[in-house]
Amino acid sequence: MLSAAELTLPANATGISERATALGVYQLPIGPEDADKVPSERFEGQITRRTWRADGQSTVLQILAPLRDQLVEQGYEVRLDCAARDCGGFGFRFGIEVVPTPDMMVDISRYHFLSAIRGGEAVSVLVSRAGGAAFIQVISVRPPDTAPAVVKPVVQAQADPVQETTDPGRPVELAKVLEVRGHAVLTDLVFDSGSTRLREGRYGSLAELAAYLAANPQYRLLLVGHTDMVGSQAQNADISQRRAQSVKERLVEAYAADEARIDTAGAGFLAPIASNLNPEGREANRRVEAVLLAN
């Protein structure tokens, strides 16, 4: 049996994350989004999810095309090869599996997706430009008895990059969710255990929010804290308010966001997004959301 895919990434690609599942199911997208559904084919086996960031001005296609060529040379059959609009834009992006931000960033107007199969193996490649850099995601599935996929950045000859304009006001993933849905969960925030204090560190969601506010003076934000149902509503409303305020302070102090255009509120446990009857649901309900408002 042939070994799993070996892909050579651009020399400037820096690994961000790797997630492995010993045995799982991956729904490989094989067609553009249609009627809010993305056609897929089921693959079972060992799943590896990897992401990289590549600085520089290479376009999405300049990064993806060599990876596609490598897969074809290794005997993979391409099942889907589409750019943002042809894939289905927003609907496709949120109908497929994407590693959470900030490990993988997707601008729904600037991404390219590829899926391919070889026997019982499957590979998908997602490339997007966001925030002045390119982000690459590779998800591979292989039967348990095959060698693991190898993806390595090495120095290689590349075509002269085509200059691609980076507009700071152009919405990337989080901003687009805000504009389409009116609100977005800031999924990468981490609070100290039992505290309303936001843990130190850089947060991709806050960087995006600050940049979006700076580029779009017609908007302002409402940060809303949410909790699970442990404790009274009065207690949870206070906790959620203070967590939202903590996020606002970090936006202003660390990301130079306009304080006058950011408000805060605490909803407590009044707006759950999952069941409070299990630990996973309670964890999902403990969150801070950004709500987009007219200025």
Side-chain angles (χ1 to χ4, degrees):
M1 179 179 291
L2 290 172
S3 62
E6 294 187 4
L7 298 179
T8 299
L9 270 68
N12 62 343
T14 302
I16 299 176
S17 68
E18 179 173 337
R19 296 166 169 84
T21 302
L23 182 61
V25 173
Y26 177 54
Q27 295 294 143
L28 180 75
I30 57 173
E33 180 265 339
D34 181 30
D36 295 327
K37 293 183 179 180
V38 176
S40 64
E41 185 172 341
R42 185 181 188 274
F43 283 84
E44 182 178 300
Q46 299 180 33
I47 306 173
T48 304
R49 303 166 176 87
R50 297 184 177 94
T51 62
W52 295 262
R53 173 188 174 119
D55 295 313
Q57 295 299 319
S58 295
T59 66
V60 167
L61 190 55
Q62 284 177 323
I63 295 173
L64 184 134
L67 302 179
R68 177 180 57 207
D69 293 343
Q70 292 174 51
L71 288 171
V72 171
E73 289 173 1
Q74 293 175 38
Y76 280 83
E77 175 191 353
V78 174
R79 298 301 302 274
L80 178 62
D81 183 357
C82 59
R85 181 177 297 179
D86 295 332
C87 292
F90 182 89
F92 182 85
R93 155 62 186 90
F94 286 94
I96 66 172
E97 180 178 341
V98 177
V99 172
T101 58
D103 293 345
M104 182 62 190
M105 309 288 286
V106 181
D107 180 337
I108 66 168
S109 64
R110 288 194 294 177
Y111 71 81
H112 202 114
F113 181 86
L114 172 78
S115 65
I117 64 172
R118 185 181 65 184
E121 300 176 10
V123 176
S124 69
V125 182
L126 174 64
V127 182
S128 179
R129 289 197 63 85
F135 289 82
I136 306 163
Q137 170 186 289
V138 176
I139 299 179
S140 60
V141 187
R142 60 186 179 86
D145 60 344
T146 61
V150 177
V151 188
K152 52 186 178 181
V154 300
V155 177
Q156 60 180 12
Q158 296 190 22
D160 293 335
V162 176
Q163 199 71 16
E164 187 170 285
T165 302
T166 301
D167 178 1
R170 187 172 186 171
V172 293
E173 178 183 333
L174 180 60
K176 192 63 178 181
V177 175
L178 283 172
E179 291 183 346
V180 173
R181 297 183 178 177
H183 65 99
V185 179
L186 308 181
T187 58
D188 59 337
L189 302 184
V190 180
F191 290 88
D192 290 332
S193 179
S195 171
T196 60
R197 180 176 178 272
L198 185 62
R199 186 172 297 177
E200 295 299 324
R202 299 290 295 179
Y203 295 100
S205 64
L206 300 189
E208 288 184 55
L209 286 178
Y212 187 73
L213 278 178
N216 296 276
Q218 71 273 29
Y219 296 130
R220 59 191 178 90
L221 290 176
L222 172 64
L223 299 173
V224 184
H226 298 266
T227 66
D228 57 27
M229 294 188 70
V230 178
S232 70
Q233 168 59 9
Q235 292 172 324
N236 281 297
D238 178 63
I239 291 172
S240 57
Q241 167 70 51
R242 286 190 284 150
R243 284 192 168 179
Q245 181 63 32
S246 178
V247 175
K248 174 181 177 177
E249 291 171 359
R250 185 66 60 82
L251 265 171
V252 173
E253 295 169 3
Y255 300 90
D258 184 354
E259 181 177 9
R261 293 164 58 207
I262 306 173
D263 298 318
T264 62
F269 55 60
L270 296 180
I273 57 174
S275 171
N276 277 295
L277 301 180
N278 56 68
E280 295 79 12
R282 290 192 291 274
E283 181 178 356
N285 288 331
R286 296 190 292 268
R287 68 197 190 279
V288 174
E289 294 192 13
V291 179
L292 189 62
L293 304 172
N295 194 8

